[in-house]
Amino acid sequence: MDKNLIQRTVSGIVYIAIIILCTTPFGAQLLDQLSPGLVKQQYLYYGLITFLLLVGTWECIKIMKFGDGYEKWIVLPIVLLIFYMFSKRFFYHDFYFNFRLSEILALALIVIAVVTLFKFTSELYFDSGKLIFTVIYVALPFSFALGLPKFSSYDSSFSLEVIFLFILIWSSDTFAYLVGKFFGKHKMAPKISPKKTWEGYAGGVVLTLVLSYFVEMYQPQLRGNWMIVGFLIAAFAPLGDLVESQLKRTFGAKDSGNIIPGHGGVLDRLDSFLICVPVVYLYFILEKFI
């Protein structure tokens, strides 16, 4: 058997297992077997997001090839400051009761960063542009990810929005790949991602909607309508892949890193996640007013 295939399979299983343990109550329950009350689930989730944030920031710095100016050295402090502000809201449950205009402005910055990457690439050749893009592209999505689940310290409950977000992203990618492989003819973005087709995109949307129907039916405790969430994920997940592909193409990088053997880096694996999280978070905000 191909050693690379074995490596990809093993690292993929480990990656999925970590995601499941850190985004569902299973992680805390497993640790309870070793020592009751050792770690609450919200801390496992927070630790996962913090780790992904740090690695993703480092990968973005490497991809964009910062110079020796001060910008390279203040990226991480700024990222951590933003994440700290969201972290306070996470632990004080402030995401669920207060709507802030700053959230809309932050979400708008992500749109601006994506447009800049595709339409005004020259702006990212300056270290100041690289600094701003890295902060927006990495810090804001991971910070917003803290606002997706709900948890209670009293009954040790932890909601499952994030794991189902991952499941629908994985399904969207898989369905789009399979449909595109067998039926794809019209290239979606041949210069950026030659394998993506409009047929695959349509197949990913339709089949993810089918899966999200069952999520909505059997997981009524989740926030929002998951038929809508599923559509948003299937619609925007390919954009996440195109954004990261364009970023690597712009700066001549093959992979963002190698922390997941055979799969690449954090940004390679979470490219769709980085775009879908702000979109779903925005939906959860708007859903409160409907």
Side-chain angles (χ1 to χ4, degrees), residues 241-263:
D241 179 73
L242 291 176
V243 168
E244 206 246 351
S245 295
Q246 175 69 3
L247 180 64
K248 292 188 295 185
R249 180 173 175 269
T250 299
F251 292 96
K254 181 180 179 181
D255 294 311
S256 66
N258 57 5
I259 193 171
I260 309 174
H263 292 270

Side-chain angles (χ1 to χ4, degrees), residues 35-109:
S35 176
L38 181 62
V39 178
K40 295 183 184 297
Q41 190 63 47
Q42 58 263 32
Y43 290 101
L44 287 177
Y45 178 66
Y46 182 77
L48 171 69
I49 297 300
T50 303
F51 174 76
L52 295 175
L53 170 85
L54 293 173
V55 177
T57 301
W58 175 244
E59 290 178 354
C60 201
I61 292 173
K62 289 197 302 179
I63 289 174
M64 300 189 80
K65 301 173 182 176
F66 277 70
D68 295 325
Y70 72 91
E71 292 90 350
K72 178 179 181 180
W73 306 108
I74 66 172
V75 174
L76 187 58
I78 293 176
V79 166
L80 290 176
L81 176 61
I82 293 173
F83 191 66
Y84 169 72
M85 294 168 63
F86 280 83
S87 298
K88 291 195 298 182
R89 300 185 64 190
F90 175 72
F91 288 110
Y92 286 103
H93 304 275
D94 194 29
F95 280 108
Y96 320 127
F97 304 109
N98 294 317
F99 166 74
R100 300 181 180 183
L101 180 60
S102 58
E103 293 178 343
I104 300 297
L105 295 176
L107 291 166
L109 287 176

Side-chain angles (χ1 to χ4, degrees), residues 24-278:
T24 72
F26 293 127
Q29 291 171 6
L30 181 62
L31 291 175
D32 275 347
Q33 303 300 316
L34 302 176
S35 176
L38 181 62
V39 178
K40 295 183 184 297
Q41 190 63 47
Q42 58 263 32
Y43 290 101
L44 287 177
Y45 178 66
Y46 182 77
L48 171 69
I49 297 300
T50 303
F51 174 76
L52 295 175
L53 170 85
L54 293 173
V55 177
T57 301
W58 175 244
E59 290 178 354
C60 201
I61 292 173
K62 289 197 302 179
I63 289 174
M64 300 189 80
K65 301 173 182 176
F66 277 70
D68 295 325
Y70 72 91
E71 292 90 350
K72 178 179 181 180
W73 306 108
I74 66 172
V75 174
L76 187 58
I78 293 176
V79 166
L80 290 176
L81 176 61
I82 293 173
F83 191 66
Y84 169 72
M85 294 168 63
F86 280 83
S87 298
K88 291 195 298 182
R89 300 185 64 190
F90 175 72
F91 288 110
Y92 286 103
H93 304 275
D94 194 29
F95 280 108
Y96 320 127
F97 304 109
N98 294 317
F99 166 74
R100 300 181 180 183
L101 180 60
S102 58
E103 293 178 343
I104 300 297
L105 295 176
L107 291 166
L109 287 176
I110 296 175
V111 175
I112 294 172
V114 171
V115 172
T116 300
L117 177 63
F118 284 102
K119 296 295 184 181
F120 307 99
T121 309
S122 60
E123 297 294 331
L124 300 181
Y125 294 144
F126 301 97
D127 278 3
S128 56
K130 297 175 183 179
L131 168 65
I132 295 170
F133 181 86
T134 301
V135 171
I136 295 173
Y137 179 59
V138 181
L140 291 181
F142 282 123
S143 296
F144 279 120
L146 296 177
L148 296 184
K150 289 186 176 182
F151 60 88
S152 171
S153 300
Y154 299 104
D155 58 10
S156 299
S157 63
F158 190 87
S159 63
L160 301 175
E161 284 81 4
V162 178
I163 187 58
F164 281 106
L165 174 66
F166 271 108
I167 290 172
L168 291 179
I169 288 174
W170 295 333
S171 70
S172 173
D173 291 344
T174 302
F175 293 146
Y177 168 77
L178 292 175
V179 173
K181 180 178 180 179
F182 292 105
F183 304 103
K185 293 182 179 180
H186 299 88
K187 300 294 184 182
M188 193 178 195
K191 292 183 179 180
I192 303 174
S193 185
K195 294 182 179 180
K196 286 192 178 301
T197 64
W198 286 109
E199 291 83 0
Y201 178 78
V205 171
V206 172
L207 293 173
T208 301
L209 276 174
V210 172
L211 180 57
S212 61
Y213 167 77
F214 290 101
V215 174
E216 175 67 18
M217 178 181 294
Y218 294 105
Q219 299 292 328
Q221 77 282 1
L222 297 177
R223 298 164 67 189
N225 184 313
W226 277 71
M227 288 290 291
I228 297 176
V229 173
F231 174 76
L232 292 173
I233 290 172
F236 284 92
L239 175 61
D241 179 73
L242 291 176
V243 168
E244 206 246 351
S245 295
Q246 175 69 3
L247 180 64
K248 292 188 295 185
R249 180 173 175 269
T250 299
F251 292 96
K254 181 180 179 181
D255 294 311
S256 66
N258 57 5
I259 193 171
I260 309 174
H263 292 270
V266 163
L267 297 183
D268 293 321
R269 290 301 88 203
L270 296 176
D271 49 10
S272 297
F273 182 82
L274 291 174
I275 296 298
C276 287
V277 163

